[in-house]
Amino acid sequence: MSSTLKLDELISQDYKHGFYTEVETDSVPRGLSEDVIRQISAKKGEPDFMLEWRLAAYRHWLTMSEPHWATVHHPPIDYQDISYYAAPKSRKDGPQSLDDVDPELRRTYEKLGVPLEERALLAGVAVDAVFDSVSVATTFKEKLAGLGIVFCSFSEAVREYPELVRQYLGSVVPYTDNFFASLNSAVFSDGSFCYIPPGVRCPMELSTYFRINARNTGQFERTLIIADKGAYVSYLEGCTAPMRDENQLHAAVVELIALEDAQIKYATVQNWYPGDKEGRGGIYNFVTKRGDCRGDNSKISWTQVETGSAITWKYPSVILQGDNAVGEFYSVALTNHYQQADTGTKMVHLGKNTRSTILSKGISAGHGQNAYRGLVKVAKSAVGARNYSQCDSLLLGDRCGAHTFPYIEVKNPTARVEHEASTSRIGEDQLFYCQSRGIAPEDAVSMIVNGFCKEVFKELPMEFAVEAQKLLGVSLEGSIG
Amino acid sequence: MLEISKLHVSVDDKPILRGIDLAIGAGEVHAIMGPNGSGKSTLAHVLAGHDHYTVTSGEVRYRGRDLLALSPEERAREGIFLAFQYPVEIPGVANIYLLKAAVNAQRKHRGEPELDAVDFLALVKDKLQLMGMSQDLLYRSVNEGFSGGEKKRNEILQMVVLEPKLAILDETDSGLDIDALKVVAGGINAMRSPERAILLVTHYQRLLDYVVPDRVHVLAQGRIALSGGRELAQELEMRGYGWVEAEAANRRKGGA
């Protein structure tokens, strides 16, 4: 057997989270129209301002066309063949606690290795689980409420905290931003909302699990996180999805707002169904994530581990408005089989002495295509701005591809921008070398991949690093010395 | 320790080794010499289990077991070590991490508890001194940016840490200056013991001035053409490899 075959075998392990949960769903008919939007809004009991915002977004969306500048390819999406709302039936009675949650749902999470209650209790993580489009479980709310922290589903926030929502919704990603963000604004079903009041340090990692389940249901999550002056919050988002045949559209929007001296850390482990070995099925993940360092000395960090989806199209960005603001982007993106990823970040320097760091690690295997696309923009006002970017690519086998598209626009002469890039390959000679030292080839691959990713994994909270390790199907490198 | 009988090996259907017979006992040091392309490195790689080479016939027994039935990592865990002629670079993986993973894979295989970071570092520090290597080499990526000499020393460091039962050194002396050669030879000599066998694969007899072999074998056209004591190496140094085949052919005739 040649080592190429061996490599292929190692990297073609089946998607472990491929199962389908039978839960009755309550969907609106397929297709998109103002009626459908009114229906969604009515089902959720939203105030008028929300409906008006959705309709404005929809009308704007009608004037736009699907973007095609990314290095990804997919058949045309029929937006009239998508069901824009599905909620688990159990929600009608409104689960009051975890015990009230549909046992089928709880088993689903358990199969994924995310036993909610254990995780919540043992790890001190508050979990706002999203099953399809509606939150079904929220924990630790009381403890957080004691500190004045609001952490709830987006729907609840719209009803309970309409003023906060009204003030911040769309203030980072306006409904006119881009095709998929506009679509999301019109039809978003649910998501998470978080507000940390001035001076409060959120005592636990906040976490959300997303999951696509009902067939032909687009997922349109919306997340809004606000850290008020001097506040701190670390937010974890992770998701897996069951195996299925047809492609599914996922167009989420995440908005982060950090006011003066505030800090937000946002970490993602993304494992949507990537399609089968021939490239059939899989999720289209077209996401708009953006943070706004609105106040002086504020800081926003994005850390992402992207292993799933047929297509990933995602650029978590930071707008550095406040003076001395800091933006960070740490990313590991893995593409295998026929997966495509076009991902990266945008760092927009507006304030004085703003700093940004970009560290991107792309891993391609099989026929996977991995592109880093990043923009570093330094405005005239950004005196003393600094950026450091590093983009590394790792190739497994010789049928995959890695591409790097760095864009740099500097309008201030005092700015300092550095960019470094590298490409390497896991070779059969490396595997044999490890084997000849007694290390099994799968452990060798995992050792090499983890060695490649360790600078990014270091940025993840401990329990999430474990999750990342699982999702990469490899074990984390132990720390020595 | 190691018995090779009638070993035939091909690469891409092209025969490279055409009937090797060789026995190495515990406590012995053997040198395999021969001109370029004679199959020396092939033999080293076949013993380590590289799947680029196809064994078409013959047998290799290692400590009473069928060696060819074992995967490369099983061979390593059973005490076989190959020092590479061209050590491989592994960016991102710290040298000490590879070494610890290797030691613990072996210990696990033997049913011994794995070493923790502290014990392991203590173990490595001693050996590091023996090889005249600085500690920061441990924290650099495996062989990445190492000089030729550093790479070879690193191979010998791995060997002295792993304490194999059968060490195969493939052209470990090539590309070394005289000082580095002495250090490497010192490492190899420190490994000599009644329980251990060492197989040196080399083109020149230079290394054999420092590591004195019990037996010398000359490989030519895929066969062991000639075997002898250490003086054979010196003869080769003077006379080159050309006469060996003729000599072997004569002997075969004489014996017939």
Side-chain angles (χ1 to χ4, degrees):
Chain A
M1 187 175 77
S2 85
S3 301
T4 309
L5 285 173
K6 216 182 306 167
L7 253 179
D8 278 352
E9 213 171 89
L10 283 173
I11 58 186
S12 63
Q13 287 172 11
D14 281 338
Y15 182 76
K16 290 190 181 68
H17 299 147
F19 44 80
Y20 183 76
T21 311
E22 282 178 33
V23 177
E24 288 180 63
T25 55
D26 163 24
S27 303
V28 297
R30 284 165 188 245
L32 189 51
S33 65
E34 292 206 3
D35 274 352
V36 165
I37 289 164
R38 284 176 206 282
Q39 231 174 312
I40 292 171
S41 191
K43 268 182 190 289
K44 300 170 80 63
E46 289 178 347
D48 286 346
F49 85 88
M50 202 61 250
L51 175 62
E52 288 312 315
W53 197 75
R54 285 176 181 278
L55 289 173
Y58 175 66
R59 284 164 199 148
H60 186 82
W61 180 75
L62 288 175
T63 68
M64 304 170 91
S65 55
E66 207 178 79
H68 289 286
W69 44 263
T71 55
V72 299
H73 305 278
H74 57 82
I77 299 167
D78 183 353
Y79 293 93
Q80 295 303 335
D81 194 36
I82 293 172
S83 172
Y84 287 88
Y85 184 81
K89 287 273 192 194
S90 62
R91 197 212 163 221
K92 281 184 176 166
D93 313 315
Q96 303 308 304
S97 74
L98 274 170
D99 298 338
D100 298 336
V101 171
D102 188 336
E104 188 67 24
L105 294 195
R106 292 210 304 264
R107 273 196 295 276
T108 302
Y109 288 117
E110 272 158 34
K111 276 191 251 177
L112 287 171
V114 191
L116 274 187
E117 48 279 76
E118 260 177 53
R119 200 187 163 91
L121 292 172
L122 294 177
V125 172
V127 176
D128 179 9
V130 176
F131 186 90
D132 269 19
S133 315
V134 171
S135 300
V136 289
T138 304
T139 49
F140 278 116
K141 244 169 150 172
E142 290 81 9
K143 189 174 173 189
L144 294 173
L147 293 162
I149 294 170
V150 178
F151 178 46
C152 61
S153 73
F154 208 99
S155 307
E156 193 180 334
V158 170
R159 289 191 302 269
E160 307 292 328
Y161 310 95
E163 285 317 308
L164 278 176
V165 173
R166 201 172 191 165
Q167 187 181 348
Y168 291 105
L169 175 71
S171 70
V172 187
V173 181
Y175 64 72
T176 52
D177 193 81
N178 69 70
F179 184 81
F180 296 110
S182 297
L183 181 62
N184 173 288
S185 302
V187 301
F188 72 88
S189 34
D190 211 333
S192 297
F193 177 87
C194 178
Y195 171 78
I196 316 289
V200 172
R201 190 180 168 88
C202 184
M204 58 186 79
E205 312 274 358
L206 299 182
S207 146
T208 306
Y209 284 85
F210 295 96
R211 190 162 168 76
I212 292 182
N213 202 300
R215 282 175 183 273
N216 289 329
T217 304
Q219 279 256 303
F220 302 94
E221 303 289 345
R222 186 117 198 159
T223 299
L224 179 55
I225 299 173
I226 303 130
D228 213 321
K229 286 179 185 171
Y232 167 87
V233 63
S234 171
Y235 190 90
L236 316 179
E237 169 208 349
C239 51
T240 56
M243 187 173 296
R244 37 202 2 190
D245 285 327
E246 62 260 78
N247 291 305
Q248 287 190 308
L249 178 63
H250 180 84
V253 172
V254 176
E255 294 179 278
L256 311 182
I257 295 135
L259 301 183
E260 216 173 286
D261 300 314
Q263 187 181 349
I264 302 175
K265 290 172 96 162
Y266 192 105
T268 306
V269 172
Q270 188 268 117
N271 190 24
W272 299 112
Y273 179 53
D276 66 15
K277 284 170 196 170
E278 275 72 51
R280 284 188 304 254
I283 305 299
Y284 293 176
N285 193 28
F286 301 148
V287 180
T288 306
K289 288 186 166 174
R290 195 174 302 154
D292 187 359
C293 283
R294 208 163 279 183
D296 292 349
N297 312 311
S298 55
K299 180 174 176 182
I300 290 179
S301 306
W302 297 101
T303 305
Q304 59 174 24
V305 177
E306 302 278 329
T307 63
S309 297
I311 302 175
T312 300
W313 182 96
K314 176 179 170 184
Y315 315 91
S317 307
V318 184
I319 299 167
L320 298 151
Q321 282 203 66
D323 291 347
N324 312 311
V326 175
E328 293 172 337
F329 173 75
Y330 302 100
S331 170
V332 168
L334 174 94
T335 54
N336 196 359
H337 304 312
Y338 286 87
Q339 277 178 278
Q340 308 170 60
D342 195 299
T343 183
T345 184
K346 282 186 267 183
M347 293 290 172
V348 181
H349 293 256
L350 302 173
K352 291 189 189 74
N353 301 315
T354 46
R355 283 170 293 151
S356 62
T357 303
I358 298 171
L359 184 56
S360 163
K361 302 277 181 177
I363 303 160
S364 313
H367 291 88
Q369 293 294 325
N370 212 320
Y372 167 80
R373 188 183 301 279
L375 169 69
V376 175
K377 190 171 179 171
V378 179
K380 214 169 173 180
S381 54
V383 178
R386 274 183 295 161
N387 162 268
Y388 174 74
S389 302
Q390 187 184 330
C391 305
D392 298 322
S393 304
L394 183 67
L395 305 173
L396 286 83
D398 50 15
R399 292 173 310 238
C400 49
H403 317 272
T404 303
F405 304 101
Y407 304 91
I408 298 171
E409 287 174 33
V410 178
K411 300 239 166 71
N412 186 300
T414 63
R416 239 177 41 218
V417 177
E418 291 173 66
H419 180 93
E420 287 182 26
S422 78
T423 302
S424 54
R425 190 184 292 277
I426 293 189
E428 287 148 27
D429 52 343
Q430 289 176 328
L431 289 186
F432 179 67
Y433 189 72
C434 293
Q435 282 178 280
S436 76
R437 300 297 179 252
I439 300 162
E442 57 273 19
D443 294 336
V445 167
S446 111
M447 190 168 76
I448 296 167
V449 168
N450 276 299
F452 180 72
C453 300
K454 68 183 167 200
E455 291 158 286
V456 172
F457 284 166
K458 255 190 280 181
E459 298 298 326
L460 289 171
M462 203 45 210
E463 65 269 34
F464 228 32
V466 174
E467 192 91 355
Q469 162 198 345
K470 266 194 205 165
L471 292 187
L472 281 183
V474 294
S475 59
L476 258 180
E477 190 171 323
S479 55
I480 289 181
Chain B
M1 175 78 68
L2 183 74
E3 289 157 59
I4 304 173
S5 43
K6 301 188 182 69
L7 183 69
H8 289 255
V9 174
S10 299
V11 175
D12 302 329
D13 296 329
K14 192 181 156 217
I16 306 288
L17 298 182
R18 308 151 187 256
I20 299 277
D21 290 288
L22 181 65
I24 304 176
E28 296 176 0
V29 176
H30 287 224
I32 300 267
M33 302 184 70
N36 290 329
S38 59
K40 301 189 300 285
S41 277
T42 298
L43 180 61
H45 279 87
V46 166
L47 293 177
H50 199 294
D51 63 7
H52 183 54
Y53 304 90
T54 313
V55 175
T56 49
S57 68
E59 197 188 29
V60 181
R61 301 201 72 80
Y62 167 69
R63 303 176 77 221
R65 294 179 66 183
D66 176 9
L67 181 70
L68 301 177
L70 302 178
S71 69
E73 60 271 27
E74 285 165 340
R75 297 178 197 201
R77 292 171 197 161
E78 286 288 332
I80 290 184
F81 179 88
L82 171 66
F84 282 61
Q85 183 179 3
Y86 304 108
V88 178
E89 299 186 0
I90 310 179
V93 176
N95 210 20
I96 191 171
Y97 184 74
L98 175 83
L99 206 49
K100 182 166 170 255
V103 166
N104 281 333
Q106 217 176 55
R107 293 181 69 95
K108 208 171 147 191
H109 181 69
R110 293 198 295 249
E112 297 166 7
E114 297 187 14
L115 288 181
D116 65 22
V118 178
D119 290 343
F120 181 72
L121 194 61
L123 169 80
V124 173
K125 270 187 178 166
D126 274 357
K127 316 280 185 183
L128 211 55
Q129 218 161 15
L130 174 72
M131 295 311 299
M133 291 166 73
S134 77
Q135 208 170 319
D136 58 86
L137 272 182
L138 292 177
Y139 300 98
R140 278 164 58 185
S141 293
V142 178
N143 291 321
E144 194 185 32
F146 284 29
S147 70
E150 281 174 334
K151 283 184 183 175
K152 294 296 174 78
R153 279 186 210 207
N154 198 34
E155 293 292 290
I156 302 303
L157 173 71
Q158 292 179 3
M159 179 177 78
V160 298
V161 169
L162 287 167
E163 301 187 326
K165 296 189 178 71
L166 170 64
I168 304 160
L169 292 91
D170 188 8
E171 309 254 2
T172 297
D173 51 336
S174 69
L176 290 184
D177 63 33
I178 192 70
D179 292 332
L181 183 72
K182 281 181 182 166
V183 172
V184 163
I188 300 170
N189 282 327
M191 291 293 287
R192 294 185 84 148
S193 101
E195 290 84 43
R196 184 171 291 129
I198 299 176
L199 183 60
L200 303 168
V201 173
T202 180
H203 187 77
Y204 302 104
Q205 72 99 40
R206 196 169 68 133
L207 176 66
L208 306 183
D209 288 342
Y210 299 94
V211 183
V212 179
D214 299 304
R215 296 287 289 165
V216 175
H217 312 276
V218 184
L219 212 56
Q221 298 180 353
R223 291 189 188 91
I224 290 182
L226 205 57
S227 296
R230 62 170 301 201
E231 64 286 347
L232 178 57
Q234 282 149 1
E235 198 176 347
L236 287 169
E237 185 77 357
M238 281 156 49
R239 298 175 62 186
Y241 285 108
W243 61 279
V244 175
E245 283 207 296
E247 184 96 343
N250 284 339
R251 246 192 266 176
R252 266 205 300 274
K253 267 182 213 158

